[in-house]
Structure formats: C-alpha cells, structure tokens
C-alpha cells in the first residue's frame, strides 16, 4: 500500500472532531464545531472544525490543516511520527509496521515482544531478585507498569530462545541488538539486568538499557545504534514527558534512567534523560518542540560537570534557554530525592544558574591563578562566542573583574566574536515565516481550487500562474500542482515537512468555500480575474515608476499601453 493510500485510510477511519475534541472543548456550530484556538490565546472561539472536509481553520491566527497537521503541531511530532501515532489509534498497520514479503516481523514488533517478555520476567516467579532491588530503590509494582520496566534473566539464551520459538530468525535477533554473536552461536546481550525500555516520541520501543542487579560486569549496558535507534536523536521518557513539558513550559534534563524515573515519581513529569552525557543538536530540537526552557541536572562529579559544559552550549545554540541546577551535597537527582522532599528539589530548580553565569563561575578558580588565567580566558571566550551578545552583556562586570579586561574591551571582544542577532523563538519564527510566505486569501483560494479541481488545472498554464501570482509560496504551490500529480502531492509535502503548502491549501479551501458563486466555474473565474487584475496593476505601477525615472525603454512604453488597455473595466468584465 502506498503512503498516500495509507494516509487516506487513516483519515477515513478517524474523525477529526474526536481527535481535536480531546484537546479543545468543541461546541456544535452549523456543519461543524467551534472552540478556543489551541495555537493562540483568545476569549471568543474562532477555531472551527469542519467534519465534512475533515479539516480545521482558525479565523484568528489562520492556523489550518487536517488531522495530521493538528497532531504534528500539538504533539510536537514530525509527519512520519504523526502517521505512526494515528495509525496505531486507528488500528491500521502502515508500511513500516507491516511484515515483510517473506513474513518476517519488523524491528518494532520484535522489540515490543522483547519488552513484554522482560516485563513478564520481572513480575513472574524468577523476577524476585529484581523486584527486591526495585524495592530497595523505593520503587513498586506501579512503577513497573507505568514505565514498562523488565528483567532479563541471568541466562545466556532465555530471550533468544523465546523469540526463536516465536518465529524470529537469527539475523533479526542480531539486527535488533538483542543478541550477540559468540564462538558457539548467539547469546543474549542483556543478562541479569533490570531493563529500561527506550521509546521514541511516538511511544514505540526502539532500544533498551540494562542495569546490573548483582554479579560482575558493567553497571549499565545499552542497545547498540541501528536501523531504528540513534541515541543522539532520542531522549528517555520524552513520550511520557512531552505533555508535562508543554504544560509547565520547561524541561528537566538528567543523565540516568533512575534519575528520570525518580523525578517522574516525585511529580516532575517534565523530566527526560539523555542517552549518554554528550548532548546533541537533534535532542535540542526535540525539546524545543515543547518548551524553550531547559534545566540541566547532571551528576555533581567532575565528568558530569564537564558534560554539562559541553552540552549546554549545544542546547543554547539551538534556541533553548539553558539553566544549570546544582543539587546540594553533591548528590545526583535520584539520591537527593530518596532522602529529600520534592519541594527541596523545586527550590534547587528555582536557584538554577543561567548558562553564562554558570560558565563564569565554573572557571573562576582558573581565572584567579596566574598560571591558568590565559588558558581559562581563551576557553571562556571561545564558549561565549557561540552565543548571542545580549545573553552575555548582563554579566559584563563579572567578566571584567575575573579576566581583568576593562568592560569596554569586553564589549568589543563580544561584538567581534559573538552572534549579533538574537535567535527568535522557534515556534514564533515558524509562524512569522508562514504569515510572510502565505500571502492573501485570494491566492490561497486560487491554489486550493487548482489542487482540488481538474477543470481549473486545465484552464491555465504553469507559466501564466507564476506570472500572475505575487506570493512566493503561492507560486511554488501552484507550480507543483500544475506540473506534478496532485493525488500524490499532499503526502509528499507532509513526508518532507513542507506543511506551509498544506496549510495554504486548507486556508484556501475555507476561503473559496465562502465565496459567492453557484458553482466551481464561477468561483474560479472570480479568483482568476481578481488575481490577474492585481498582477496587472502592480506591473503598471512598476512601469510608471520607470517612466518617471526616465528609465523606461520603448518596449516598456508599449507594454504599459497594452496593460492599461487590458486593465480597463470593459476588458476585465468581458
């Protein structure tokens, strides 16, 4: 089944009013529903849901789209992730979930089977030692269920034998990262460990972490990266935390699985854990979907602090407002909350240091010593040069005092080396870009009718559409519709993240639906004449300016006369 067929099947199986109604309080209004827009603040509902077209439109902020764009915007998902989520809800197996032609299960299915098997081990007769460990860590049966915890028996082949009996082949066991190749054959990667399933933002199991319960070996081991798992592109518990991050307008970033679990148990549901100490641009992008504020709370040991200094610059560079949380007594979050109240941890968050201040304080000992000052100053300004100047200027006096560089010179250095322009809020920037690119409703309606009606496409050439349309997004959209297969365009735009075009079409559909006119032909002629008239008037204005500046050629004069004649009421209404 092609992706666009799958999309249609999902849309047919789900009602957009049901999906949106879970987040927005909707009231029946005419042929659809109305409610308060989830994308901007308002007191009077201007957000409309149309069940006949399975679309929505806000007359306040012009947000528009379908079931997929709504889930993408409200859940912070990309198109493929939204498709996965809605497909699961509709009970539809899309291509990447489907079994291969040879009957093999997908990696997602295999990992899901393993996760359930691990949980059965933990709750079963042989999971006593693991359950005792969990109890010692002040966790209980509810935590096993809530976080899908599991246990791998201290056996060489417990899991692989189970999966083999279920029809999983050895090459699949290796590809999934669940098995390792030994001299005598395959053996289980995870043995005698408490298991933490790692899920993607859509809630699918993509990897595992394992904590040693007893015996010798590495304290933690993790799944290797592979076809569906990359640790730099994921965060532990993000699927559970994204709702709380949005509600609290902040994320808490910790290092370990147990740190994240402890914080969730203590009411800090906005917590996620990095899958390693090296933070990445991809993880910063994930967090910025839900909030621009991030509180980093890593272990207080030296390695942990160095990881903070490396990672916080990456996060800040990608639009996050980074603050560093210092936990009293040098404990990690799990240790601290095992003996202290959530209120005390909240106090630590309220005392968190902004990125620049933390950087200055961390280097203060080195800056005060003659033998290390030069290298510390170099390190400091190399790090600060990655930020914009407005984030640094409030700390100009501290910088001057510690580096022994006059404040005026500090500012010169910053102006020379740092980024001059404040990075705008990612969500606001996208909205502004769309507003600027999307143009007026006439051109949106024009593109929507081109998209939906073959007779409109047959009436105009791509070259003419490009000539009369003024807005760049409208030009791009019309050109695609007239030169490609409209039946596949929607899924193509969504799969490539080109949601501006889909939003333009949805806005245009709403506008053209309310136009006066008995049929498609009347509405199309109205839009065409209005847009062409505007294009002609604009060209006439440009030629008249050239004429006033004595820059008009003889060809310009002839064109001006021709356009003035064509723009007369007689010609445009004929």
């Amino acid at each position: 089944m092609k992706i666009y067929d799958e999309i249609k099947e999902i849309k047919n199986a789900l009602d957009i009013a049901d999906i949106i109604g879970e987040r927005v309080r909707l009231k029946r209004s005419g042929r659809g529903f109305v409610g308060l827009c989830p994308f901007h603040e308002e007191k009077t509902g201007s957000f409309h849901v149309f069940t006949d077209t399975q679309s929505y439109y806000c007359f306040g902020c012009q947000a528009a789209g379908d079931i997929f764009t709504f889930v993408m915007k409200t859940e912070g998902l990309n198109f493929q992730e939204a498709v996965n989520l809605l497909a699961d809800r509709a009970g539809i197996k899309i291509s990447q979930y489907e079994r291969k032609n040879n009957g093999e299960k997908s990696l997602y299915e295999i990992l899901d089977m393993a996760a359930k098997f691990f949980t059965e081990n933990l709750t079963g007769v042989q999971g006593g030692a693991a359950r005792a460990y969990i109890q010692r860590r002040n966790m209980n049966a509810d935590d096993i269920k809530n976080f899908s915890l599991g246990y791998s028996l201290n056996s060489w082949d417990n899991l692989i034998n189970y999966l083999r009996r279920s029809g999983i082949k050895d090459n699949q066991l290796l590809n999934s990262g669940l098995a390792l190749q030994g001299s005598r054959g395959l053996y289980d990667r995870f043995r005698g460990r408490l298991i933490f399933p790692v899920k993607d933002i859509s809630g699918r199991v993509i990897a595992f972490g394992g904590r040693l319960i007893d015996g010798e070996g590495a304290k933690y081991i993790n799944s290797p990266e592979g076809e569906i798992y990359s640790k730099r592109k994921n965060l532990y518990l993000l699927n559970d935390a994204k709702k709380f991050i949005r509600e609290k307008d902040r994320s808490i970033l910790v290092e370990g699985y147990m740190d994240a679990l402890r914080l969730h148990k203590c009411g800090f549901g906005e917590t996620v854990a990095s899958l390693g100490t090296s933070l990445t641009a991809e993880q910063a992008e994930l967090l910025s979907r839900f909030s621009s504020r991030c509180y980093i709370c890593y272990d207080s040991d030296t390695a942990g602090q160095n990881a903070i200094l490396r990672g916080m610059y990456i996060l800040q560079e990608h639009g996050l407002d980074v603050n560093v949380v210092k936990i009293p007594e040098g404990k990690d979050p799990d240790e601290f909350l095992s003996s202290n109240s959530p209120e005390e941890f909240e106090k630590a968050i309220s005392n968190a240091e902004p990125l620049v201040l933390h950087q200055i304080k961390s280097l203060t000992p080195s800056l005060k010593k003659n033998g290390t000052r030069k290298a510390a100053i170099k390190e400091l300004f190399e790090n600060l040069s990655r930020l914009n100047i407005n984030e640094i200027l409030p700390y100009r006096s501290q910088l001057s005092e510690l580096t022994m560089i006059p404040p005026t010179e500090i500012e010169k250095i910053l102006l020379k080396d740092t980024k001059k322009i404040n990075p705008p809020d990612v969500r606001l920037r996208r909205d502004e870009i769309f507003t600027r690119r999307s143009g007026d409703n006439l051109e949106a309606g024009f593109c929507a009718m081109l998209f939906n009606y073959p007779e409109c496409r047959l009436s105009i050439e791509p070259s003419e559409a490009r000539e009369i349309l003024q807005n760049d997004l409208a030009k791009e959209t019309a050109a695609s519709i007239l030169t490609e297969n409209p039946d596949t365009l929607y899924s193509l735009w969504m799969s490539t993240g080109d949601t501006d075009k889909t939003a333009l079409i949805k806005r245009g559909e709403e506008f053209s639906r309310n136009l006066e006119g008995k049929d498609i032909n009347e509405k199309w002629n109205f839009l065409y004449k209005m847009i062409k008239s505007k294009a002609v008037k604009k060209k006439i204005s440009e030629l008249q300016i050239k004429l006033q500046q004595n820059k008009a050629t003889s060809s310009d004069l002839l064109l001006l006369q021709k356009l003035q004649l064509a723009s007369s009421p007689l010609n445009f209404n004929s």
Side-chain angles (χ1 to χ4, degrees), residues 440-453 456-457 459-462 464-470 474-475 477-479 481-482 504-505 507-509 511-512 515 523-532:
D440 62 26
N441 286 330
L442 287 171
E443 296 195 356
F446 180 91
C447 291
M449 295 199 75
L450 280 179
F451 184 78
N452 289 304
Y453 302 111
C456 297
R457 296 194 290 272
S459 69
I460 190 170
E461 292 294 326
E464 184 183 6
R466 284 193 297 268
E467 183 179 342
I468 66 174
L469 292 169
Q470 305 301 309
K475 286 184 179 183
T477 306
I481 295 169
L482 291 169
L504 180 74
I505 294 296
R507 181 159 63 88
E509 288 175 342
F511 176 75
S512 58
L515 284 177
K523 293 183 178 184
W524 171 250
N525 286 336
F526 168 78
L527 289 171
Y528 173 78
K529 288 180 179 180
M530 290 294 293
I531 290 171
K532 186 171 182 179

Side-chain angles (χ1 to χ4, degrees), residues 248-286:
K248 295 187 177 182
D249 190 26
R250 74 181 187 191
S251 60
I252 300 174
L253 181 59
V254 297
E255 183 179 355
Y257 298 114
M258 289 302 301
D259 292 332
L261 292 180
R262 180 70 57 205
L263 282 165
H264 273 253
K265 276 179 61 66
C266 292
F268 299 93
E270 68 273 29
T271 304
V272 297
S274 58
L275 299 162
T277 56
S278 298
L279 298 174
T280 67
E282 291 88 346
Q283 291 171 330
E285 189 276 328
L286 281 174

Side-chain angles (χ1 to χ4, degrees), residues 20 23-29 32-40 42-49 57-60:
I20 294 179
R23 186 175 289 272
V24 179
R25 186 176 180 181
L26 297 175
K27 294 181 179 179
R28 171 68 70 176
S29 176
F33 297 87
V34 66
L36 295 177
C37 181
F39 306 118
H40 80 286
E42 62 177 2
K43 295 182 179 180
T44 303
S46 59
F47 184 79
H48 291 256
V49 178
Y57 180 78
C58 176
F59 288 89

Side-chain angles (χ1 to χ4, degrees), residues 214-501:
D214 53 40
E216 297 182 355
K219 183 176 179 181
Y220 282 96
I221 63 171
N222 301 291
S223 294
E225 296 198 345
E227 181 181 332
I228 63 173
Y229 174 58
S230 171
K231 64 182 180 181
R232 67 181 295 109
K233 296 180 180 180
N234 292 278
L235 290 160
Y236 179 60
L237 291 186
L238 180 58
N239 180 58
D240 297 300
K242 59 188 180 184
K243 172 186 175 182
F244 300 100
I245 295 174
R246 181 182 285 111
E247 289 177 354
K248 295 187 177 182
D249 190 26
R250 74 181 187 191
S251 60
I252 300 174
L253 181 59
V254 297
E255 183 179 355
Y257 298 114
M258 289 302 301
D259 292 332
L261 292 180
R262 180 70 57 205
L263 282 165
H264 273 253
K265 276 179 61 66
C266 292
F268 299 93
E270 68 273 29
T271 304
V272 297
S274 58
L275 299 162
T277 56
S278 298
L279 298 174
T280 67
E282 291 88 346
Q283 291 171 330
E285 189 276 328
L286 281 174
L287 289 175
S288 68
R289 296 184 190 182
F290 307 101
S291 174
S292 61
R293 292 196 302 158
C294 179
Y295 291 81
I296 302 181
C297 188
Y298 275 13
D299 293 353
S300 298
D301 60 26
T302 301
Q305 294 303 307
N306 289 337
I308 291 173
L309 291 175
R310 289 193 301 270
M312 65 183 179
Y313 279 100
I314 294 174
L315 299 184
Q316 190 91 12
E317 281 185 292
H318 289 79
L320 293 177
D321 176 20
V322 176
N323 298 272
V324 182
V325 180
K326 288 187 175 181
I327 299 179
E329 305 172 20
K331 296 181 178 180
D332 61 35
D334 180 35
E335 292 172 330
F336 182 78
L337 282 166
S338 293
S339 56
N340 295 274
S341 68
E343 289 76 18
E344 290 175 285
F345 187 80
E346 184 64 52
K347 183 178 179 181
I349 291 178
S350 65
N351 293 328
E353 295 175 343
L355 165 64
V356 177
L357 184 58
H358 177 81
Q359 172 70 16
I360 292 171
K361 287 186 175 182
S362 68
L363 288 175
T364 295
S366 299
L367 289 167
K368 288 184 175 181
K369 295 179 181 178
N370 290 332
T372 57
R373 180 182 295 117
K374 185 176 180 180
I377 289 174
K378 183 176 183 293
E379 178 185 347
L380 176 62
F381 280 98
E382 282 179 351
N383 286 331
L384 294 180
S385 68
R386 301 165 70 175
L387 308 179
N388 74 75
I389 190 170
N390 291 334
E391 294 172 300
I392 308 168
L393 286 179
Y395 308 98
R396 184 171 37 186
S397 60
Q398 291 101 315
L399 285 169
S400 176
E401 181 181 349
L402 287 169
T403 61
M404 298 182 183
I405 300 173
T408 53
E409 292 301 313
I410 291 282
E411 190 166 344
K412 288 180 181 179
I413 295 171
L414 295 177
L415 287 170
K416 177 183 177 182
D417 295 335
T418 60
K419 299 176 180 179
K420 309 300 190 303
I421 302 174
N422 275 317
D425 181 270
V426 173
R427 292 163 295 181
L428 180 60
R429 181 172 70 241
R430 287 171 180 164
D431 292 344
E432 288 176 342
I433 288 172
F434 174 69
T435 300
R436 186 171 63 252
R437 293 188 70 213
S438 61
D440 62 26
N441 286 330
L442 287 171
E443 296 195 356
F446 180 91
C447 291
M449 295 199 75
L450 280 179
F451 184 78
N452 289 304
Y453 302 111
E455 56 266 47
C456 297
R457 296 194 290 272
L458 292 173
S459 69
I460 190 170
E461 292 294 326
S463 57
E464 184 183 6
R466 284 193 297 268
E467 183 179 342
I468 66 174
L469 292 169
Q470 305 301 309
N471 178 260
D472 289 339
L473 178 60
K475 286 184 179 183
E476 295 169 12
T477 306
S480 297
I481 295 169
L482 291 169
T483 57
E484 301 177 50
N485 182 358
D487 293 335
T488 62
L489 269 180
Y490 185 87
S491 57
L492 175 63
W493 289 335
M494 296 298 285
S495 64
T496 57
D498 200 354
T499 55
D500 282 357
K501 289 188 175 71

